[in-house]
Amino acid sequence: MVASGILLSILAHEAAHAWTAAKLGHRATLIRLHGGGGEAIWETDSYTRKDDGLITIAGPLAKLCLGLSCLVLYYLLLPDPTASFTPVPDRPWYSPPPSSPPAIFRALHWIAILNLVLTFVNLLPGLPLDGGHLFRHFLEVRIGPRRALFGPG
């Protein structure tokens, strides 16, 4: 269940890249998922650094929103394990045995935590991560496009 949730979150991440590219007037042609994550491919006639930056940051933002949404749902929908417990006055030391949440809630929690962790991992300044892409754009402005390729590598 968690694996399929992570696969769907990778798809949502890449779909956010493609959707942003389409909204900015580019043609999103392919979303490819593979063992290393995924990639959204788009074609364009006019390339601007601003458009590329917006398209790049859309994926981590989608993953962050998805992780936070799953975390909120987990805490809102998780049943209270002590709600059905009625203490007995004769035995005040008695407590119910610990219970674990149902599997769907554990999966939702894992998906939330993994999405939040992967958001920050994806923003690390190394290629081919989105953070490396953004770092390269940052360096291009300061040291030029040729030398900037060696920075985030």
Side-chain angles (χ1 to χ4, degrees), residues 11-131:
L11 179 62
H13 174 100
E14 299 304 330
H17 287 309
W19 181 81
T20 306
K23 285 295 181 184
L24 292 172
H26 309 296
R27 291 178 300 282
T29 57
L30 179 68
I31 293 177
R32 183 181 307 150
L33 301 179
H34 47 75
E39 56 188 327
I41 299 170
W42 62 89
E43 297 174 353
T44 185
D45 294 328
S46 61
Y47 170 84
T48 65
R49 198 168 281 144
K50 179 184 173 188
D51 285 356
D52 196 38
L54 290 173
I55 293 167
T56 301
I57 199 70
L61 284 177
K63 195 172 271 301
L64 179 67
C65 290
L66 187 60
L68 290 175
S69 299
C70 287
L71 202 58
V72 166
L73 280 175
Y74 173 76
Y75 284 111
L76 284 178
L77 301 178
L78 183 67
D80 184 14
T82 61
S84 62
F85 174 70
T86 309
V88 179
D90 298 341
R91 296 181 287 166
W93 61 88
Y94 176 73
S95 65
S99 63
S100 64
I104 187 74
F105 291 105
R106 288 193 311 261
L108 193 62
H109 188 256
W110 271 102
I111 291 168
I113 297 302
L114 287 172
N115 270 310
L116 294 174
V117 168
L118 289 175
T119 296
F120 294 108
V121 167
N122 193 20
L123 289 173
L124 291 173
L127 290 174
L129 301 173
D130 290 332

